[in-house]
Amino acid sequence: MMKKLQVKKILDKLDELYGVDKDGFLHREPWQLLLAIMMSAQSTDAQVDLVLPALYDKYQKVEEMAEADIEELEGMIKTIGLYHSKAKNMKKCCQQLVAEYNGQVPDNREDLMKLAGVGRKTANLFMSDAYGVPEITVDTHVNRISNKLGWAHHSDPLKVELELQEVLPEDHWIRINIQLIRHGRAVCKARKPMCGDCALSNWCEFQLAAVKEV
């Protein structure tokens, strides 16, 4: 396991390079943020951002989304991936919120994951963004880079999440997701990682192993 000092140096560098804040999706109410996060799966944040203003102008209350015409809803989000299933889940999710939670979004993972279209990653990200609950969100960038750094040693997202909870101080749990996403998009790319330009290369087990093989 990587020493705490090395972890701190990496975290300090990530703070320096990518900051500690993130831009959130347009929303006025927690249920709107939850739906935006659901829509972002296998889509880009930019694609989701484009549909949100008109969507939330039309459906201003969770009760209105719960009663939405499914074909009309699909038409409003058809530019994002998997829009058929997402529209179905969005409507069903809001119906559950109205019927079971008085229109309020739960603040715990167990109840969140009972909602249509909400898995562990979505639940973690929502709790972090909406309620400031320290949770680690493991997407493909976090998974890949954590393994390269030696912070994790599995491909299963849940196992990676649990490993990162042991490695990272809790005050970095929320922001590590956006920092590693930004690093993954800019430098540590899945197909062609730019190891020569990586500010983390001195601590990266993947890069250090490659150097030894030369």
Side-chain angles (χ1 to χ4, degrees), residues 8-196:
K8 184 179 186 306
K9 288 181 179 179
I10 294 172
L11 295 177
D12 287 346
K13 180 57 68 173
L14 289 171
D15 287 350
E16 175 189 333
L17 292 172
Y18 304 112
V20 300
D21 299 315
K22 63 174 292 186
D23 295 327
F25 289 114
L26 170 71
H27 70 283
R28 293 183 295 274
E29 301 292 339
W31 68 269
Q32 295 175 325
L33 175 61
L34 179 61
L35 297 194
I37 293 172
M38 290 167 60
M39 283 187 280
S40 69
Q42 298 187 44
S43 300
T44 67
D45 290 358
Q47 288 174 313
V48 175
D49 284 335
L50 288 175
V51 306
L52 292 183
L55 185 69
Y56 293 150
D57 183 60
K58 181 172 181 60
Y59 305 106
Q60 298 185 15
K61 298 180 179 180
V62 65
E63 292 84 1
E64 294 174 352
M65 181 64 76
E67 297 298 324
D69 178 86
I70 196 68
E71 291 186 359
E72 189 171 23
L73 180 55
E74 286 180 350
M76 297 192 74
I77 67 168
K78 65 181 179 181
T79 55
I80 65 175
L82 307 176
Y83 70 92
H84 287 296
S85 60
K86 288 178 180 177
K88 180 180 178 181
N89 284 333
M90 289 162 62
K91 179 180 172 72
K92 176 62 176 177
C93 176
C94 288
Q95 289 175 334
Q96 290 174 280
L97 292 176
V98 172
E100 301 172 29
Y101 299 98
N102 196 32
Q104 303 301 308
V105 184
D107 60 0
N108 65 87
R109 186 188 298 113
E110 181 180 0
D111 285 336
L112 281 167
M113 291 180 64
K114 294 176 182 177
L115 301 173
V118 179
R120 187 180 182 93
K121 183 175 74 171
T122 296
N124 282 2
L125 185 55
F126 172 79
M127 287 190 294
S128 297
D129 286 0
Y131 300 135
V133 179
E135 295 290 352
I136 298 173
T137 306
V138 178
D139 67 357
T140 57
H141 293 290
V142 174
N143 198 323
R144 181 180 71 257
I145 299 173
S146 294
N147 274 273
K148 286 189 173 184
L149 289 173
W151 289 353
H153 303 85
H154 295 89
S155 59
D156 178 76
L158 176 55
K159 291 181 178 179
V160 172
E161 179 186 333
L162 296 177
E163 286 184 297
L164 291 179
Q165 288 178 358
E166 295 295 322
V167 173
L168 303 178
E170 191 173 291
D171 62 359
H172 279 73
W173 286 11
I174 293 178
R175 65 179 179 260
I176 197 64
N177 174 259
I178 190 60
Q179 288 178 336
L180 293 188
I181 286 176
R182 289 169 177 167
H183 189 63
R185 290 173 177 170
V187 181
C188 193
K189 302 177 182 181
R191 294 185 179 181
K192 294 183 178 180
M194 302 163 61
C195 297

